[in-house]
Amino acid sequence: MPGADPGRRGAFRLIRRRALAGLALAGPALAACSPLDLANLATPRRGTMLREGLRYGPLPRHRLDLTLPPMPVAETPLVVFIHGGGWEEGSRAQYAFLGRRLASLGMAVAVPDYRLWPEARWPDFIEDAALAVAWLRSAPDVPRGPLFVMGHSAGGFIAAALALDPRWLEAAGLPGGRGALTGAMLLAAPISWQPNYEPVTSIFANAPGGRIEAAPDPAMLAGAPPMLLLHGEADVVVGALHARQLAAGLEAAGRPVRLRLYPGVGHVGIMTDFVPGAGLLGLSDAPVVAEVRDFVRARVVGG
């Protein structure tokens, strides 16, 4: 932090090192859950309103949480955030902090649950997310403003599939299909990948060639909405090559795309900026929230 007291900078670095070391020693379960719990505790409501457990379909996992900004109006932009977790874990409640943070900036944020492995496999989770988006557009008391899909990691793949492959939203009955989307925001999203480890190979066994493919036909890119691609260059779970290649394909297809790559930022680290104060503590090196805010505002104001 330029201009900060050297002793304070040292203290922040020490806090960061200890936090990261603690997560590394705690193992996968704590690393996957505890930071999200802490993020929810650290993120104030700031006048936002939560409508919890709204049912968008007939199955047990067909529920979503909707966080509304203070004084929402019909034109309030709606962001549908699809959580990650390798298509086998995760829940809407874990991402309350993200809903609150974006709602405090004037957006309505829906976070749906969707079916997970082993109950589900491709394309069940894509169909669930598409159903949630379509339901939100027809449900009462939900803002009708510009519509965005957004996701991290496995959820980023699902959001990419909704934005790039027209069949999913059309099949879900969304008027206009993917043409109803004002934009898509992908964080550390796998786009095109041949999985070679379990359970991902089994999760995608039904997909053509067993591949993870958000856009099976490159011609699909020509109809894509504007896209924001955010990726950490230190991501060893989903390499930044996914974002680079998608950006190049969208540019070649003449579609608007903004690519932001963050040096030193990993797969989970790209989410930390949604926690208030993370930047001040040296826990976030990527201005993700500002990028999302500016992307939404540009689409809302400028079209």
Side-chain angles (χ1 to χ4, degrees):
M1 295 184 299
D5 175 78
R8 178 173 292 183
R9 289 203 306 269
F12 285 157
R13 284 195 293 268
L14 179 61
I15 291 171
R16 183 182 184 183
R17 284 198 300 270
R18 288 180 175 175
L20 294 176
L23 289 176
L25 292 172
L30 182 58
C33 299
S34 292
L36 295 175
D37 294 337
L38 292 173
N40 285 330
L41 289 172
T43 307
R45 296 184 181 276
R46 293 178 180 169
T48 62
M49 299 172 284
L50 175 64
R51 296 174 60 192
E52 190 173 6
L54 302 178
R55 183 176 292 279
Y56 69 83
L59 300 178
R61 291 279 297 184
H62 286 173
R63 291 184 179 271
L64 62 82
D65 291 346
L66 177 66
T67 305
L68 298 171
M71 301 179 66
V73 296
E75 296 78 18
T76 295
L78 174 62
V79 175
V80 183
F81 176 80
I82 306 170
H83 70 76
W87 306 283
E88 60 175 328
E89 61 184 14
S91 71
R92 66 186 192 274
Q94 293 176 317
Y95 293 87
F97 70 97
L98 182 142
R100 293 176 199 159
R101 185 70 187 278
L102 294 183
S104 72
L105 298 175
M107 308 171 206
V109 183
V111 183
D113 280 338
Y114 53 88
R115 284 173 290 169
L116 301 170
W117 172 266
E119 175 194 0
R121 61 195 67 200
W122 183 95
D124 296 334
F125 34 78
I126 303 175
E127 293 173 343
D128 288 352
L131 183 62
V133 173
W135 180 87
L136 283 160
R137 260 311 185 232
S138 62
D141 302 322
V142 175
R144 294 291 190 271
L147 176 63
F148 299 83
V149 290
M150 176 180 176
H152 171 248
S153 191
F157 165 79
I158 297 172
L162 297 184
L164 298 176
D165 189 335
R167 59 183 155 165
W168 306 120
L169 290 174
E170 289 176 3
L174 178 69
R178 68 168 174 171
L181 298 179
T182 303
M185 300 168 282
L186 311 181
L187 284 66
I191 303 299
S192 178
W193 187 12
Q194 184 70 60
N196 58 4
Y197 59 91
E198 291 292 354
V200 182
T201 52
S202 293
I203 292 172
F204 282 86
N206 292 339
R211 288 185 60 84
I212 296 171
E213 289 287 357
D217 183 350
M220 294 174 174
L221 300 183
M227 302 193 76
L228 174 66
L229 311 181
L230 307 178
H231 219 115
E233 291 188 319
D235 190 335
V236 296
V237 178
V238 178
L241 181 64
H242 289 264
R244 289 192 181 98
Q245 290 182 338
L246 178 56
L250 289 167
E251 289 174 352
R255 302 307 301 153
V257 58
R258 177 171 174 79
L259 171 66
R260 294 286 286 130
L261 301 175
Y262 302 111
V265 174
H267 189 67
V268 176
I270 200 166
M271 292 290 291
T272 58
D273 196 51
F274 291 98
V275 182
L280 294 176
L281 288 173
L283 299 175
S284 174
D285 298 316
V288 172
V289 173
E291 288 284 357
V292 170
R293 177 200 64 203
D294 293 347
F295 180 80
V296 170
R297 288 179 178 175
R299 307 281 86 71
V300 170
V301 175

